[in-house]
Amino acid sequence: ILERATLAPMIERVLPAVVSIRVKGSQVVEQNPLFNNPLFGQASADDKLERRQFQSTGSGVVVDAARGLILSNFHVIEKAKEIRVILQDGREFEGKLIGKDAATDVAVIKIEVDHMVTMPIGDSSKVRVGDLVVALGNPYGLDATATLGMVSSLRRTSVGYRNFESYIQHDAAVNSGNSGGALVDMRGQLVGINTAILSPSGGNIGLGFAIPIKMALQVMEQLVKYGQVRRGWVGLKTVDLSLEKITALDLSVYKGALVTGIQKDSPAEMAG
């Protein structure tokens, strides 16, 4: 009798390093259309602004238990006034925001706690299309959820989500609340941080995108050290080099970036 195929031992080993993140904050809501109705007179600018309290949930991954560091997404904690981190064993702690980077959608949270599990770190540069992966997180507040899928593309750009995109594309089911959670390989090693989906309805259709862990950790170390990401800047405006552009311009290369302009007062402009 064949032993049943299962990923249970691997998932049980790494799941304690996946946390739930709950945030509270306030945000400006849309102006009431009655403010523009002449029957109600003219409202002041302050009257037109309304702030409402909100609560939301997301996921995070413990990547350095010794330092209490947790990776998550910028958009999970973007407007948070209070961050609570809940471990898989039910313990709950106040999270301190160490730094956030909108350009890559990375955030680093720190908690003070003993006996926390670190997620084993993999090598995202060795991930290949066809690799099986598991997404771990808390979709719709359903803690400790695991879904299985396959890597369908690498270095995915032009998603239109963030400034710096080089995503691992996969079809493991991810939904609202999975953001900031782990993408692990079959050895139980962290290869990405789930950050976005492409969906006309808002639900999973098999197009999930994860930040490669190599990129996320590089951003994390800068946030820990400087509180922000220090980036070099050239000032070139570029687009991906497509087959149509290669044909139209009769180029001898088949990959790269096409320079379409130079930003004013940039190093590129100063360099001629």
Side-chain angles (χ1 to χ4, degrees):
I1 299 175
L2 293 176
E3 185 176 345
R4 65 179 181 181
T6 179
L7 297 175
M10 180 273 283
I11 293 174
E12 290 169 356
R13 186 172 67 253
V14 300
L15 200 55
V18 179
V19 304
S20 177
I21 296 175
R22 298 176 185 172
V23 302
K24 293 181 180 180
S26 63
Q27 59 186 359
V28 176
V29 297
E30 292 185 9
Q31 165 189 331
N32 190 315
L34 291 179
F35 282 128
N36 294 322
N37 190 321
L39 293 176
F40 292 88
Q42 292 295 318
S44 68
D46 289 338
D47 289 336
K48 294 179 182 180
L49 296 177
E50 181 182 357
R51 301 195 70 88
R52 288 184 182 173
Q53 302 299 311
F54 74 90
Q55 298 184 46
S56 63
T57 62
S59 305
V61 186
V62 180
V63 292
D64 191 332
R67 292 189 288 174
L69 297 180
I70 296 168
L71 272 176
S72 187
N73 286 145
F74 167 86
H75 75 266
V76 170
I77 52 80
E78 180 180 2
K79 299 175 182 178
K81 297 298 182 183
E82 177 184 327
I83 301 173
R84 305 294 297 179
V85 176
I86 300 93
L87 305 185
Q88 293 294 335
D89 61 13
R91 289 180 293 165
E92 183 172 338
F93 302 90
E94 180 180 359
K96 176 184 178 182
L97 181 61
I98 298 299
K100 56 185 179 181
D101 181 52
T104 55
D105 201 21
V106 170
V108 182
I109 300 166
K110 180 181 176 67
I111 61 175
E112 300 290 345
V113 57
D114 294 325
H115 309 298
M116 190 164 60
V117 177
T118 297
M119 175 73 73
I121 305 299
D123 186 349
S124 53
S125 67
K126 295 182 179 179
V127 173
R128 299 186 301 171
V129 172
D131 285 355
L132 295 179
V133 287
V134 173
L136 302 169
N138 308 289
Y140 299 112
L142 301 174
D143 295 348
T145 296
T147 54
L148 175 66
M150 183 184 79
V151 173
S152 51
S153 184
L154 296 171
R155 295 177 291 278
R156 175 65 72 196
T157 60
S158 304
V159 177
Y161 181 62
R162 293 290 163 175
N163 298 59
F164 296 98
E165 298 182 342
S166 184
Y167 295 129
I168 299 170
Q169 179 182 311
H170 64 89
D171 64 0
V174 291
N175 291 282
S176 178
N178 268 113
S179 294
L183 187 72
V184 302
D185 61 19
M186 291 297 98
R187 294 177 293 178
Q189 294 184 332
L190 182 67
V191 294
I193 301 295
N194 288 310
T195 188
I197 61 172
L198 194 60
S199 169
S201 63
N204 173 67
I205 61 169
L207 288 172
F209 303 96
I211 304 167
I213 191 57
K214 187 175 183 179
M215 176 193 292
L217 290 176
Q218 289 172 344
V219 172
M220 182 188 82
E221 292 302 337
Q222 289 209 49
L223 292 175
V224 171
K225 188 173 183 179
Y226 306 115
Q228 61 182 0
V229 178
R230 298 181 176 183
R231 292 187 172 92
W233 179 51
V234 177
L236 295 177
K237 299 177 182 178
T238 65
V239 295
D240 289 343
L241 193 57
S242 65
L243 180 60
E244 291 79 5
K245 292 184 177 67
I246 292 171
T247 304
L249 298 173
D250 193 23
L251 301 178
S252 59
V253 297
Y254 65 92
K255 63 180 179 179
L258 182 67
V259 177
T260 60
I262 297 175
Q263 295 180 17
K264 183 176 176 57
D265 299 325
S266 68
E269 184 183 64
M270 289 185 284

